[in-house]
């Protein structure tokens, strides 16, 4: 009796399910289309052999094998053909409908029907998909569809055979044709806006790449370009406008282009975040870039399912590793990393929204159709801002380094006691001045009676005298002239423009008079004199070394004669 009751219960359950499965889907207008998977009345049959024909599918022996289709059927399960049976009920006198797929990533799509209650077919079969030229798609639609022009009220049956190794999900939706065409125009407009944003970012950063010559810009450009092509491929626009007559590439583009996008995205993360400071993470990111390259190669070789799986692994692991690296780099003080994290977060939220719609957690058809490209466009905009902030920060740092280097160079060329050029500074400045081959004059001054001041009053007194003499010499010179202290009590003046000998002699007397002025030190008047040797270029020398040698000998002559100054080569 228990066995009998169980059999009766099972038969009632099967009968109930049969009634549910046999229930027809009532055709009605829906602005975003009616998802047949969501109704629970879409039936499916897995073709394990891949050889079932329409006649075999319609045979009652196979009819009983149809079961309710799961809400989401992933690409890993769909390398084999799947047959879908759709029973549609039209209550109006006439109707114009389309039965459409939810994705463009299907290798082979075939629609049969509609069949009326007598089994008569009302339209020719549709055979399209990535393996077929774009011209095979009805209504020039990016998605695959069958147009159903039904003559009157009644129940109609449509069979669909779908094959898609990389399709994110296998699902069908029913639309009023006019609503579908209007929705498609709105989607094209929105797609065009997203494409326009990416193209503008691409052109803008191409210009910046030419200006800054930074490798990070090159990786960003590659990421942006392949993100654009990937979206166009996923949306079907690439097949429509770029390579619709090339089915071989239509199939491969859906996995190769994302692989290339991931390569440049990973390289951009490494370069932008400078992950070489984190060797472990850097090696992992580089490994992911190599995996993405492998996925692209496998896609070119026709290994679509494996390539898609690798792309999914790289995208998930890469996003996680890049986020970890960004957090670590941000904590080290690199502020643009927060913009990178923001871009990653926007893409993650968009993808999460698409997943939640797929799982029926939220009802947002617009997000399902456009979530990925919204996230990608937002991410690339934020990345562009991050890149500009990074470059701005680098330029600020480089400017600070240049200023610091210039300060150090100036300090190295300056006498710390007097503020005049030192021997090194004189050599640097004189090289350019003397290179023109024009006439110049060099005056070498050596202080007289300076040592007794040091001996009697100390080095502080000597330093005060040296500073005062330096200031007086500098005040007496023109803007282009060079005044330097060689060390000890020796000073050099290199005149930028020539003066006649009589004016040079007058200048020497004025300098000697300025030096002889007393220097007040702690209430005491300290006085020194100066002996000046004068050399002229080019007759007394063409280089600083030659002029210094000639002026030194002239200065020695001035000291010996007590004349205060002397020209090189003059008769004593």
């Amino acid at each position: 009796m228990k066995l009998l009751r169980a059999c009766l219960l099972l038969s009632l359950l099967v009968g109930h399910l049969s009634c549910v499965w046999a229930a027809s889907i009532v055709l009605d207008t829906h602005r975003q289309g009616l998802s047949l998977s969501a109704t629970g009345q879409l039936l499916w049959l897995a073709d394990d052999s891949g050889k079932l024909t329409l006649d075999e599918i319609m045979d009652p022996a196979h009819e009983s094998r149809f079961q309710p289709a799961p809400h989401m059927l992933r690409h890993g399960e769909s390398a084999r053909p799947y047959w879908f049976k759709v029973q549609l009920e039209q209550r109006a006198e006439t109707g114009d409908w389309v039965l459409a797929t939810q994705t463009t990533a299907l290798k082979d799509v075939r629609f049969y029907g509609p069949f009326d209650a007598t089994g008569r077919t009302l339209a020719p079969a549709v055979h399209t998909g990535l393996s077929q030229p774009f011209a095979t798609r009805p209504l020039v639609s990016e998605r695959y569809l069958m147009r159903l022009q039904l003559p009157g009220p009644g129940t109609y049956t449509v069979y669909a055979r779908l094959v898609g190794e990389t399709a994110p999900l296998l699902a069908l939706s029913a639309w009023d044709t006019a609503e579908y065409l209007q929705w498609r125009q709105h989607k094209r407009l929105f797609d065009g806006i997203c494409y326009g944003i990416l193209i503008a970012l691409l052109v803008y950063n191409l210009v910046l790449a030419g200006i800054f010559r930074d490798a990070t810009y090159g990786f960003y450009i590659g990421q942006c370009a392949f993100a654009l092509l990937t979206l166009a491929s996923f949306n079907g626009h690439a097949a429509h406008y770029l390579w619709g007559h090339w089915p071989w590439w239509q199939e491969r583009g859906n996995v190769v282009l994302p692989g290339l996008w991931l390569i440049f995205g990973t390289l951009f993360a490494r370069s932008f975040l400078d992950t070489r400071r984190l060797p472990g993470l850097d090696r992992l990111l580089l490994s992911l870039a190599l995996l993405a390259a492998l996925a692209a190669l496998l896609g070119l070789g026709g290994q679509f399912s494996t390539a898609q799986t690798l792309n999914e692994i790289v995208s998930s692991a890469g996003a996680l590793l890049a986020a970890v690296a960004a957090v670590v780099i941000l904590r080290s003080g690199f502020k643009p990393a927060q913009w990178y994290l923001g871009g990653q977060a926007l893409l993650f939220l968009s993808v999460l929204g698409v997943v939640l719609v797929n799982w029926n957690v939220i009802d947002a058809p617009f997000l399902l159709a456009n979530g990925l490209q919204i996230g990608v466009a937002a991410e690339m905009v934020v990345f562009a801002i991050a890149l500009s902030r990074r470059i701005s920060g680098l330029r600020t740092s480089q400017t600070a380094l240049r200023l610091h280097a210039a300060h150090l160079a100036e300090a190295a060329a300056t006498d710390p006691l007097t503020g005049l050029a030192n021997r090194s500074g004189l050599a640097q400045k004189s090289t350019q001045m003397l290179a023109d081959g024009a006439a110049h004059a060099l005056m070498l001054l050596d202080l007289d009676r300076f040592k007794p001041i040091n001996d009697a009053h100390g080095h502080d007194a000597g330093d005060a005298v040296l500073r005062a003499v330096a200031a007086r010499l500098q005040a007496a010179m023109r803007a282009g002239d060079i005044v330097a202290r060689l060390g000890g009590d020796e000073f050099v003046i290199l005149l930028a423009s020539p003066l006649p000998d009589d004016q040079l002699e007058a200048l020497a007397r004025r300098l000697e008079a300025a030096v002889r002025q007393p220097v007040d030190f702690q209430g005491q008047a300290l006085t020194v004199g100066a002996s000046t040797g004068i050399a002229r270029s080019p007759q007394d020398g063409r280089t600083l070394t030659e002029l210094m040698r000639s002026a030194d000998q002239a200065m020695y002559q001035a000291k010996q004669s007590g004349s205060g100054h002397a020209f090189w080569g003059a008769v004593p």
Side-chain angles (χ1 to χ4, degrees):
M1 289 300 294
K2 290 182 179 179
L3 180 60
L4 178 60
R5 284 197 298 268
C7 291
L8 287 173
L9 182 60
L10 181 60
S11 64
L12 288 173
L13 180 60
V14 171
H16 174 71
L17 290 177
S18 298
C19 290
V20 173
W21 296 348
S24 300
I25 298 167
V26 178
L27 291 173
D28 199 357
T29 56
H30 295 79
R31 293 190 61 188
Q32 297 294 334
L34 174 63
S35 175
L36 304 187
S37 299
T39 66
Q41 295 167 300
L42 181 65
L43 305 179
W44 70 279
L45 170 64
D47 182 2
D48 295 323
S49 67
K51 298 179 180 179
L52 289 177
T53 64
L54 177 64
D55 291 337
E56 291 173 326
I57 286 294
M58 296 179 68
D59 187 276
H62 286 292
E63 284 277 345
S64 61
R65 293 174 55 194
F66 277 97
Q67 300 175 16
H71 179 62
M72 288 188 297
L73 190 60
R74 295 293 177 182
H75 72 85
E77 307 168 29
S78 58
R80 54 186 172 176
Y82 281 81
W83 286 87
F84 290 85
K85 179 181 179 181
V86 187
Q87 289 186 305
L88 304 168
E89 181 183 349
Q90 178 176 278
R91 296 176 179 177
E93 292 299 323
T94 59
D96 193 350
W97 313 90
V98 294
L99 190 64
T101 64
Q102 294 287 87
T103 178
T104 63
L106 293 170
K107 176 184 179 69
D108 190 83
V109 177
R110 303 186 191 200
F111 289 104
Y112 300 97
F115 299 94
D116 62 15
T118 66
R120 180 171 59 96
T121 182
L122 304 180
V126 174
H127 184 196
T128 184
L130 290 173
S131 61
Q132 303 297 317
F134 185 85
T136 60
R137 305 188 193 188
L139 297 180
V140 198
S141 170
E142 285 78 20
R143 293 188 181 183
Y144 313 111
L145 56 84
M146 168 177 259
R147 188 174 185 181
L148 309 174
Q149 295 174 301
L150 306 181
T155 300
Y156 301 87
T157 303
V158 176
Y159 292 92
R161 181 182 183 272
L162 307 182
V163 180
E165 294 181 68
T166 62
L169 69 154
L170 298 179
L172 295 171
S173 58
W175 299 70
D176 176 271
T177 300
E179 289 287 349
Y180 177 79
L181 293 176
Q182 185 177 15
W183 172 85
R184 189 179 70 178
Q185 287 302 110
H186 291 163
K187 178 161 173 51
R188 282 180 173 178
L189 176 60
F190 185 81
D191 292 342
I193 293 173
C194 292
Y195 296 158
I197 291 172
L198 293 176
I199 291 172
L201 291 172
L202 190 60
V203 173
Y204 173 68
N205 284 281
L206 272 171
V207 174
L208 293 182
I211 295 173
F212 294 115
R213 305 288 182 179
D214 191 304
T216 311
Y217 275 102
F219 297 138
Y220 176 88
I221 291 166
Q223 183 181 8
C224 190
F226 286 112
L228 174 62
L229 289 174
T230 298
L231 289 177
S233 182
F234 287 174
N235 289 330
H237 296 124
H240 191 170
Y241 299 106
L242 298 179
W243 43 72
H245 299 290
W246 195 11
W248 184 89
W249 177 246
Q250 282 184 175
E251 288 189 79
R252 285 156 177 79
N254 269 14
V255 290
V256 174
L257 293 173
L260 296 173
W261 176 15
L262 290 170
I263 291 171
F264 280 97
T266 306
L267 294 177
F268 172 75
R270 290 182 68 241
S271 181
F272 179 83
L273 298 172
D274 192 16
T275 56
R276 286 173 299 212
R277 291 180 284 174
L278 308 169
L281 280 174
D282 186 66
R283 285 192 292 270
L284 287 175
L285 285 171
L286 187 58
S287 299
L288 289 178
L290 294 175
L291 276 180
L294 176 60
L297 292 174
L298 289 173
L300 283 175
Q303 301 295 318
F304 305 127
S305 182
T306 305
Q308 180 71 2
T309 301
L310 280 178
N311 281 339
E312 291 175 353
I313 292 173
V314 171
S315 60
S316 303
L320 177 61
L321 287 175
V324 171
V327 170
V328 175
I329 297 297
L330 178 61
R331 293 181 64 182
S332 70
F334 184 60
K335 296 299 182 184
Q338 64 189 356
W339 286 95
Y340 183 89
L341 281 172
Q344 289 278 54
L346 288 173
L347 181 59
F348 172 78
L349 290 174
S350 299
V351 173
L352 178 62
V354 174
V355 172
L356 293 178
V357 174
N358 275 331
W359 289 353
N360 277 340
V361 177
I362 58 176
D363 182 21
F366 176 82
L367 186 59
L368 178 64
N370 303 294
L372 177 62
Q373 59 200 42
I374 291 174
V376 170
E379 180 191 50
M380 297 311 297
V381 168
V382 175
F383 279 2
I385 297 173
L387 195 54
S388 67
R389 292 298 179 90
R390 173 184 177 272
I391 293 298
S392 177
L394 289 176
R395 293 188 70 186
T396 301
S397 299
Q398 289 171 355
T399 300
L401 287 174
R402 283 198 299 270
L403 290 175
H404 183 63
H407 176 73
L408 291 177
E410 183 177 357
T414 302
D415 175 49
L417 177 63
T418 62
L420 299 178
N422 58 16
R423 188 180 295 271
S424 176
L426 173 64
Q428 293 174 18
K429 295 178 180 180
S430 65
T431 299
Q432 184 175 1
M433 183 183 292
L434 297 175
D436 58 10
H440 298 281
L442 184 142
M443 307 176 75
L444 177 63
L445 285 80
D446 185 79
L447 301 185
D448 299 329
R449 301 182 300 280
F450 176 74
K451 188 175 182 302
I453 292 177
N454 260 344
D455 294 340
H457 303 284
H459 288 289
D460 289 344
D463 290 347
V465 170
L466 292 174
R467 284 193 292 269
V469 170
R472 294 169 186 175
L473 295 178
Q474 187 71 62
M477 294 297 103
R478 299 165 297 181
D481 298 334
I482 301 172
V483 182
R485 177 188 172 217
L486 298 182
D489 58 352
E490 283 190 321
F491 295 86
V492 170
I493 297 172
L494 182 61
L495 301 178
S497 56
L499 291 175
D501 286 357
D502 58 339
Q503 293 185 28
L504 284 173
E505 188 171 1
L507 175 60
R509 290 196 180 98
R510 288 198 304 273
L511 294 177
E512 292 161 13
V515 170
R516 283 197 300 270
Q517 294 296 319
V519 176
D520 179 69
F521 177 74
Q522 297 179 353
Q524 301 184 61
L526 306 178
T527 305
V528 293
S531 298
T532 306
I534 305 171
R536 295 146 297 182
S537 69
Q539 61 266 38
D540 300 334
R542 296 181 178 274
T543 66
L544 178 65
T545 302
E546 292 173 348
L547 289 173
M548 288 279 292
R549 185 184 302 115
S550 299
D552 184 66
Q553 295 180 16
M555 184 266 295
Y556 180 75
Q557 180 181 330
K559 277 186 176 292
Q560 292 287 36
S561 63
S563 60
H565 61 273
F567 286 88
W568 163 248
V571 178

